[in-house]
Amino acid sequence: MALQTSNGSTSIRITEPLCAVFRRQLKAEGQKYTPERAQVLDAIIALDRIFEAEQVIEELRQRQHRVSKATVYRTINLLQDAGIIQRVLTEGDQAQYQLAYGESPSDTLVRLDTREVVDIDVPELAAIAERVCKDLGLRPQGHKLQIFAVAPNDS
Amino acid sequence: MALQTSNGSTSIRITEPLCAVFRRQLKAEGQKYTPERAQVLDAIIALDRIFEAEQVIEELRQRQHRVSKATVYRTINLLQDAGIIQRVLTEGDQAQYQLAYGESPSDTLVRLDTREVVDIDVPELAAIAERVCKDLGLRPQGHKLQIFAVAPNDS
DNA sequence: GTCGGTGCAAATGCTTTGCATTGAT
DNA sequence: ATCAATGCAAAGCATTTGCACCGAC
């Protein structure tokens, strides 16, 4: 499960399933919650990690769900618009995303060995960002932190 | 100038020009330091910010240097291998790079309006990364912070 | 019956590569 | 002379798009 907190403080409340959120957001835009879109979201939730479009397509294949590549890409963009997933910063060539709904998605810990991603809470970062901007006479517009780590017993 | 230090401690020494570094690294691999490669590196140094391949090509055009697109891409890869530039984490579609030789390029401020990038120093981040990893029983492997900002008078 | 959605295939845009030519030691 | 580098054009690859068909209200 992607949702989790650190240091005991429960900063996340699960109020409703993501599919309900997605349906509501689509309705708000006059768009439809189709079976294909539901299947894409389900596949993404099942992946439960940073994912690329190709992995979603593969997951759908394994589930015997016939969703075209084009629809997967289109749905990924819709999910982004809805704030349910978001692109993560990457060095690679392909876009990567993670579930983001309901959390402050700016700070994550990435396990280089397993590719797992954990959202972390770094309360001091907002202040740091503001301080840095102030020093430079700029207006802060957010930040992204990725901390990289591996299992302690590796090589 | 991209090289900079913070809080008084000189962690970076400029021992030799980057072109000399490049030449040495190429020699070590049995490769050649050609005029085209020198021009690409010069253009990158002149850009002095996070750059995309297309910007290098444009800079070379303005300098009336005839270097083919293919050579620019090939040279960018060589510079990466040599550790002189490195890819930065991005949300965009195109690869972006920055000069990396001799610095720890992990913390940057990105101006969303001008795309300028400033290396910043956030000394507390190392401790934060270690604390977070410790909480999760993992071994830290570095971090990347990007702070986003715009001019204060915007909209 | 009107819209939006889907699938397919074609288009797009960044990047890489094959190949003939060129250049340096 | 040899061996690698260059430039060009073509190929590759992830992603987007045009279009005809389909399905839901």
Side-chain angles (χ1 to χ4, degrees):
Chain A
M1 190 48 180
L3 299 176
Q4 71 174 77
T5 66
S6 54
N7 63 32
S9 76
T10 305
S11 61
I12 297 154
R13 264 172 314 169
I14 303 177
T15 55
E16 56 185 333
L18 288 177
C19 55
V21 175
F22 193 24
R23 171 156 37 195
R24 180 158 34 76
Q25 301 270 26
L26 286 170
K27 280 263 165 64
E29 301 282 329
Q31 296 172 312
K32 292 170 188 167
Y33 183 69
T34 65
E36 287 86 355
R37 290 173 181 177
Q39 287 167 2
V40 170
L41 179 52
D42 281 352
I44 286 170
I45 291 170
L47 283 170
D48 190 27
R49 62 172 182 276
I50 283 193
F51 62 90
E52 301 168 5
E54 197 53 50
Q55 295 175 296
V56 178
I57 292 164
E58 177 54 29
E59 178 71 21
L60 288 166
R61 210 191 320 271
Q62 284 178 18
R63 295 165 166 237
Q64 315 265 19
H65 290 155
R66 309 299 183 84
V67 183
S68 74
K69 192 173 285 204
T71 294
V72 170
Y73 277 102
R74 283 190 277 236
T75 304
I76 284 174
N77 288 334
L78 289 171
L79 287 166
Q80 254 194 117
D81 296 342
I84 293 171
I85 63 175
Q86 69 165 199
R87 261 183 107 142
V88 298
L89 301 172
T90 64
E91 280 182 318
D93 292 321
Q94 293 130 255
Q96 300 188 339
Y97 305 85
Q98 66 182 330
L99 284 172
Y101 188 73
E103 351 176 22
S104 139
S106 48
D107 307 327
T108 52
L109 182 138
V110 181
R111 281 197 56 166
L112 297 173
D113 44 3
T114 63
R115 308 222 72 188
E116 269 179 302
V117 174
V118 183
D119 287 303
I120 56 177
D121 197 49
V122 186
E124 50 266 69
L125 264 181
I128 289 172
E130 244 172 288
R131 186 192 74 211
V132 170
C133 289
K134 197 167 190 178
D135 287 353
L136 295 165
L138 297 172
R139 196 154 49 92
Q141 292 278 290
H143 65 266
K144 291 237 182 196
L145 172 67
Q146 291 192 324
I147 294 174
F148 303 102
V150 294
N153 52 322
D154 281 12
S155 63
Chain B
M1 189 50 180
L3 298 175
Q4 69 176 66
T5 67
S6 57
N7 62 30
S9 77
T10 305
S11 61
I12 297 153
R13 262 173 316 171
I14 304 176
T15 55
E16 56 186 334
L18 289 176
C19 55
V21 175
F22 193 26
R23 171 156 37 196
R24 180 158 35 76
Q25 301 270 24
L26 286 170
K27 280 265 166 62
E29 301 283 328
Q31 296 171 311
K32 292 170 189 169
Y33 183 70
T34 65
E36 288 85 356
R37 290 174 180 178
Q39 289 166 2
V40 170
L41 178 53
D42 281 353
I44 286 170
I45 291 169
L47 285 170
D48 192 26
R49 63 173 182 277
I50 282 192
F51 62 91
E52 301 169 4
E54 199 53 48
Q55 294 175 295
V56 177
I57 293 165
E58 178 55 29
E59 176 73 20
L60 288 165
R61 209 192 319 274
Q62 284 177 18
R63 294 166 165 235
Q64 316 264 20
H65 290 155
R66 311 300 183 86
V67 183
S68 74
K69 192 174 284 204
T71 294
V72 171
Y73 277 102
R74 282 190 277 237
T75 305
I76 284 174
N77 288 334
L78 289 170
L79 287 166
Q80 253 194 117
D81 295 343
I84 293 171
I85 63 175
Q86 67 167 196
R87 261 185 107 142
V88 298
L89 301 172
T90 62
E91 280 182 318
D93 293 321
Q94 293 130 257
Q96 299 189 340
Y97 306 85
Q98 65 181 335
L99 284 172
Y101 192 73
E103 4 175 14
S104 135
S106 49
D107 307 327
T108 53
L109 182 138
V110 181
R111 281 196 57 165
L112 296 174
D113 43 2
T114 63
R115 307 222 74 188
E116 268 180 303
V117 173
V118 185
D119 287 304
I120 58 177
D121 195 57
V122 185
E124 50 267 66
L125 265 180
I128 289 172
E130 245 172 287
R131 185 194 75 210
V132 169
C133 289
K134 197 166 188 179
D135 286 354
L136 295 165
L138 298 172
R139 197 154 49 93
Q141 292 279 291
H143 65 266
K144 293 244 182 193
L145 172 67
Q146 290 192 324
I147 293 174
F148 303 102
V150 295
N153 51 325
D154 279 15
S155 62

